[in-house]
Amino acid sequence: MTNIATNASKQRQRFLLWTALVVSAICNAGTSIAGPGSFVSITFGVLTLLCGAGLIAHYRRR
């Protein structure tokens, strides 16, 4: 029973990381084009990198 719950939790984490990666990458591209400020673009860029690193770590633990 706990193995099923653990597997579902891992799938949820992976889904949230992928969703955050896509959204932050789109926002990063949008802020780079629109130009509201470099701080906003850098923030989304760092968030994109962190999500990518989280997905890599998640994959390596599997």
Side-chain angles (χ1 to χ4, degrees), residues 38 40 53 56:
S38 60
V40 176
I56 291 170

Side-chain angles (χ1 to χ4, degrees), residues 38-61:
S38 60
F39 179 74
V40 176
S41 182
I42 290 171
T43 303
F44 282 122
V46 169
L47 183 61
T48 303
L49 289 173
L50 289 174
C51 289
L55 283 167
I56 291 170
H58 192 275
Y59 174 76
R60 293 195 47 125
R61 275 188 247 150

Side-chain angles (χ1 to χ4, degrees), residues 25-37 40-42:
I26 290 170
C27 290
N28 186 23
T31 57
S32 294
I33 292 170
V40 176
S41 182
I42 290 171

Side-chain angles (χ1 to χ4, degrees), residues 12-26:
R12 188 177 320 119
Q13 289 173 353
R14 191 170 46 233
F15 174 75
L16 290 173
L17 279 171
W18 272 110
T19 303
L21 178 77
V22 170
V23 169
S24 63
I26 290 170

